[in-house]
mmCIF file of all heavy atoms in Angstrom:
data_model
loop_
_atom_site.group_PDB
_atom_site.id
_atom_site.type_symbol
_atom_site.label_atom_id
_atom_site.label_comp_id
_atom_site.label_asym_id
_atom_site.label_seq_id
_atom_site.Cartn_x
_atom_site.Cartn_y
_atom_site.Cartn_z
ATOM 1 N N GLN T 68 -93.651 44.494 98.257
ATOM 2 C CA GLN T 68 -92.300 43.937 98.034
ATOM 3 C C GLN T 68 -91.305 45.023 97.663
ATOM 4 O O GLN T 68 -90.158 45.014 98.099
ATOM 5 C CB GLN T 68 -92.351 42.874 96.931
ATOM 6 C CG GLN T 68 -91.014 42.168 96.710
ATOM 7 C CD GLN T 68 -91.118 41.076 95.677
ATOM 8 O OE1 GLN T 68 -92.179 40.906 95.083
ATOM 9 N NE2 GLN T 68 -90.044 40.350 95.493
ATOM 10 N N ALA T 73 -86.592 48.321 99.029
ATOM 11 C CA ALA T 73 -86.032 49.659 99.221
ATOM 12 C C ALA T 73 -85.592 49.857 100.656
ATOM 13 O O ALA T 73 -84.526 50.427 100.927
ATOM 14 C CB ALA T 73 -87.066 50.711 98.822
ATOM 15 N N ALA T 96 -59.513 38.058 71.168
ATOM 16 C CA ALA T 96 -58.974 37.262 70.057
ATOM 17 C C ALA T 96 -58.434 35.927 70.552
ATOM 18 O O ALA T 96 -58.615 34.888 69.913
ATOM 19 C CB ALA T 96 -57.883 38.048 69.343
ATOM 20 N N PRO T 109 -48.768 14.810 65.791
ATOM 21 C CA PRO T 109 -47.897 13.802 65.168
ATOM 22 C C PRO T 109 -47.230 14.286 63.895
ATOM 23 O O PRO T 109 -46.121 13.860 63.566
ATOM 24 C CB PRO T 109 -48.855 12.628 64.900
ATOM 25 C CG PRO T 109 -50.222 13.208 64.933
ATOM 26 C CD PRO T 109 -50.154 14.338 65.905
ATOM 27 N N SER T 148 4.527 14.503 52.044
ATOM 28 C CA SER T 148 5.393 15.209 52.990
ATOM 29 C C SER T 148 6.844 15.237 52.522
ATOM 30 O O SER T 148 7.590 16.163 52.870
ATOM 31 C CB SER T 148 5.299 14.570 54.377
ATOM 32 O OG SER T 148 5.687 13.209 54.329
ATOM 33 N N ASP T 158 13.456 19.093 44.058
ATOM 34 C CA ASP T 158 13.406 20.293 43.214
ATOM 35 C C ASP T 158 12.634 21.413 43.895
ATOM 36 O O ASP T 158 12.860 22.599 43.603
ATOM 37 C CB ASP T 158 12.744 19.976 41.864
ATOM 38 C CG ASP T 158 13.617 19.090 40.992
ATOM 39 O OD1 ASP T 158 14.808 18.919 41.321
ATOM 40 O OD2 ASP T 158 13.094 18.567 39.982
ATOM 41 N N GLY T 159 11.739 21.041 44.784
ATOM 42 C CA GLY T 159 10.953 22.030 45.515
ATOM 43 C C GLY T 159 11.431 22.229 46.935
ATOM 44 O O GLY T 159 10.706 22.794 47.753
ATOM 45 N N PRO T 205 18.457 7.113 32.120
ATOM 46 C CA PRO T 205 19.166 8.301 31.633
ATOM 47 C C PRO T 205 19.546 9.219 32.793
ATOM 48 O O PRO T 205 18.722 9.508 33.662
ATOM 49 C CB PRO T 205 18.141 8.973 30.716
ATOM 50 C CG PRO T 205 17.250 7.869 30.275
ATOM 51 C CD PRO T 205 17.160 6.932 31.455
ATOM 52 N N HIS T 209 19.441 5.060 40.045
ATOM 53 C CA HIS T 209 19.200 5.513 41.411
ATOM 54 C C HIS T 209 19.619 4.423 42.388
ATOM 55 O O HIS T 209 19.353 3.242 42.173
ATOM 56 C CB HIS T 209 17.732 5.869 41.604
ATOM 57 C CG HIS T 209 17.357 7.195 41.015
ATOM 58 N ND1 HIS T 209 16.065 7.665 40.994
ATOM 59 C CD2 HIS T 209 18.117 8.169 40.431
ATOM 60 C CE1 HIS T 209 16.028 8.860 40.430
ATOM 61 N NE2 HIS T 209 17.275 9.179 40.075
ATOM 62 N N LEU T 227 -0.113 -0.338 53.954
ATOM 63 C CA LEU T 227 -0.950 -0.305 52.759
ATOM 64 C C LEU T 227 -1.185 -1.729 52.272
ATOM 65 O O LEU T 227 -0.270 -2.551 52.280
ATOM 66 C CB LEU T 227 -0.287 0.517 51.643
ATOM 67 C CG LEU T 227 0.007 1.991 51.941
ATOM 68 C CD1 LEU T 227 0.705 2.642 50.745
ATOM 69 C CD2 LEU T 227 -1.270 2.744 52.286
ATOM 70 N N ARG T 240 2.465 7.519 38.583
ATOM 71 C CA ARG T 240 2.868 7.426 37.181
ATOM 72 C C ARG T 240 1.953 8.250 36.273
ATOM 73 O O ARG T 240 2.420 9.060 35.472
ATOM 74 C CB ARG T 240 2.850 5.963 36.725
ATOM 75 C CG ARG T 240 3.871 5.075 37.402
ATOM 76 C CD ARG T 240 3.773 3.649 36.865
ATOM 77 N NE ARG T 240 4.063 3.620 35.426
ATOM 78 C CZ ARG T 240 5.294 3.563 34.908
ATOM 79 N NH1 ARG T 240 6.345 3.518 35.705
ATOM 80 N NH2 ARG T 240 5.475 3.539 33.598
ATOM 81 N N SER T 249 -3.398 4.260 26.865
ATOM 82 C CA SER T 249 -4.618 4.112 26.071
ATOM 83 C C SER T 249 -5.772 3.683 26.967
ATOM 84 O O SER T 249 -5.581 3.272 28.118
ATOM 85 C CB SER T 249 -4.397 3.071 24.974
ATOM 86 O OG SER T 249 -4.166 1.793 25.548
ATOM 87 N N ALA T 258 -9.056 -3.323 35.956
ATOM 88 C CA ALA T 258 -9.427 -4.703 36.255
ATOM 89 C C ALA T 258 -8.443 -5.326 37.243
ATOM 90 O O ALA T 258 -8.841 -6.072 38.150
ATOM 91 C CB ALA T 258 -9.492 -5.513 34.962
#
Side-chain angles (χ1 to χ4, degrees):
Q68 184 177 4
S148 59
D158 290 348
H209 283 175
L227 300 178
R240 294 181 62 84
S249 64

